[in-house]
């Protein structure tokens, strides 16, 4: 049985500059803020739906909650597409 081929790994591609590290940290912070904001938004919709249930009834509250969640969903999709377009425009010059 032959020995495996020797592989030379230089680790050049995995080294990052200080600027790249800062950009990555800022990007991660922005992503975490977005996730937290999304979770809080859904919690607020649920709380509002529960409050409306006592005032106007279950079906009306369910309709309002569903409408608000649909708005948040489509807002997220459109925002994601817009940010991707802006990033591509910035990258391409």
């Amino acid at each position: 049985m032959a020995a495996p081929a020797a592989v030379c790994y230089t680790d050049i591609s995995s080294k990052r500059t200080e600027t790249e590290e800062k950009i990555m940290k800022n990007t991660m912070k922005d992503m975490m803020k977005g996730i937290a904001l999304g979770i809080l938004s859904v919690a607020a919709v649920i709380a509002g739906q529960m409050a409306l249930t006592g005032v106007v009834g279950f079906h009306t509250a369910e309709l309002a909650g569903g409408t608000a969640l649909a708005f948040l969903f489509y807002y997220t999709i459109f925002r994601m597409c817009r940010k991707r377009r802006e990033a591509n425009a910035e990258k391409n010059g």
Side-chain angles (χ1 to χ4, degrees), residues 28-46 68-69 71-73 75-76 79 82-83:
M28 290 299 287
K29 283 182 184 178
D30 289 343
M31 287 172 54
M32 293 305 289
K33 285 179 187 176
I35 291 169
L37 185 61
I39 290 170
L40 289 174
S41 298
V42 171
V45 167
I46 292 170
L69 286 176
F71 172 78
L72 286 173
F73 174 75
Y75 173 75
T76 303
R79 183 176 172 205
R82 185 189 54 174
K83 283 192 174 247

Side-chain angles (χ1 to χ4, degrees), residues 14-91:
S14 65
K15 293 182 181 175
R16 293 191 181 108
T17 64
E18 199 171 311
T19 305
E20 289 173 333
E21 288 289 331
K22 287 181 182 177
I23 290 171
M24 190 175 358
K25 284 181 183 178
N26 288 338
T27 302
M28 290 299 287
K29 283 182 184 178
D30 289 343
M31 287 172 54
M32 293 305 289
K33 285 179 187 176
I35 291 169
L37 185 61
I39 290 170
L40 289 174
S41 298
V42 171
V45 167
I46 292 170
Q49 188 174 349
M50 289 172 62
L52 280 174
T53 299
V55 177
V56 294
F58 174 76
H59 294 292
T60 306
E62 188 73 21
L63 180 66
T67 303
L69 286 176
F71 172 78
L72 286 173
F73 174 75
Y74 287 117
Y75 173 75
T76 303
I77 297 296
F78 290 138
R79 183 176 172 205
M80 188 171 49
C81 292
R82 185 189 54 174
K83 283 192 174 247
R84 182 172 290 166
R85 234 181 295 126
E86 290 173 358
N88 285 339
E90 182 180 308
K91 189 167 110 176

